Every structure is written in structure tokens, then in C-alpha cells.
Amino acid sequence: MQRGKEVRKVAMLAVVVAVVVLAFAGVALAVNKTCTKDPCRGTEAKDTLREQTEDGVDDNISGRKNADKIDASGYEDDVDDLRGGSGNDNLDAEDGDPDDVLNGGKGTDTCNGDNGDDSENCEKGNLAD
Ligand SMILES: [Ca+2]
Ligand SMILES: [Ca+2]
Ligand SMILES: [Ca+2]
Ligand SMILES: [Ca+2]
């Protein structure tokens, strides 16, 4: 009797731990970062990715699944390639120079950039198709 109770207790505890771990994992998967290397990739969750911190550095950034925010507007004299992947993404390459490439991928994507930036699969923003 005593032993059965103990087993049940341990099983209950294991279930509680598993639920807590899963709940946190869902949140922990998303990243909010400034890229430190190229290419730079997000996760399957909602990510926020910023280009590398220096002028003249080309970036290739992909958000992958979910609604991501990709910001390559902070530094200029570069050719940045932004890919939203699936989900409603927000891509920004309005850094004052041309030749950046924005591709929203699937979903309703918002793309902002400069004259001379290229866009594909963008539904909103100043570079909407
Ligand atoms: Ca850059
Ligand atoms: Ca840039
Ligand atoms: Ca997308
Ligand atoms: Ca630009």
C-alpha cells in the first residue's frame, strides 16, 4: 500500500516536471539577438534578428518558421539578404543603400527598404509587390 502510493507520487511529479519543461521550452526556443556571424538563422519560434554591428558587412539572415522580425536597417554600405520563411514576417532593410534583397516567403509579410532594394513575396510595406 505504502509502496503504491510512493510510485504514484513519483509518477505525478514526473508529469508535473514534464509539463513545466515543455511550457518553458516553447518560450525558450525563440531568439532575440544581434547576429554575430553569417549566415544567421532563427528558430521555429517567433524570432527577432538584427544584422551584424558594422557598416560594410553583408548579411544573410533567415527567420525560418513563424512570425519573425528581421532588422538590417542599422548599418549601411552592405548587401543584406533577408528571408522571412513561413509566417507573417517583418523585414527591414531601410539602411539608406540599394541592392538588399528581401524575400517574405509564405504568409502576409511586411517589407521596408530603399529605392533599389529587391523584394519578393512581400504583401505590405514600401516594398510590397
Ligand atoms: Ca549588414
Ligand atoms: Ca544593412
Ligand atoms: Ca513569411
Ligand atoms: Ca537598403
Side-chain angles (χ1 to χ4, degrees), residues 29-41:
L29 276 177
V31 292
N32 179 342
K33 67 175 181 183
T34 297
C35 296
T36 52
K37 60 182 169 68
D38 182 54
C40 182
R41 304 179 73 197

Side-chain angles (χ1 to χ4, degrees), residues 19 24 34 45 107:
V19 168
F24 273 97
T34 297

Side-chain angles (χ1 to χ4, degrees), residues 19-72:
V19 168
V20 170
V21 166
L22 279 178
F24 273 97
V27 175
L29 276 177
V31 292
N32 179 342
K33 67 175 181 183
T34 297
C35 296
T36 52
K37 60 182 169 68
D38 182 54
C40 182
R41 304 179 73 197
T43 67
E44 304 211 336
K46 287 187 182 180
D47 306 301
T48 299
L49 303 166
R50 288 171 299 274
E51 69 179 317
Q52 299 173 87
T53 55
E54 230 175 296
D55 287 342
V57 178
D58 297 345
D59 290 279
N60 289 275
I61 306 175
S62 39
R64 301 176 67 201
K65 281 186 192 170
N66 228 309
D68 306 297
K69 185 167 168 38
I70 304 179
D71 185 357

Side-chain angles (χ1 to χ4, degrees), residues 60-109:
N60 289 275
I61 306 175
S62 39
R64 301 176 67 201
K65 281 186 192 170
N66 228 309
D68 306 297
K69 185 167 168 38
I70 304 179
D71 185 357
S73 68
Y75 299 89
E76 57 188 14
D77 297 329
D78 52 5
V79 176
D80 298 314
D81 190 319
L82 315 183
R83 284 167 197 277
S86 59
N88 305 331
D89 305 295
N90 193 316
L91 312 184
D92 186 355
E94 201 164 5
D95 52 6
D97 62 37
D99 299 331
D100 299 307
V101 181
L102 298 82
N103 191 330
K106 287 184 189 165
T108 305
D109 303 295

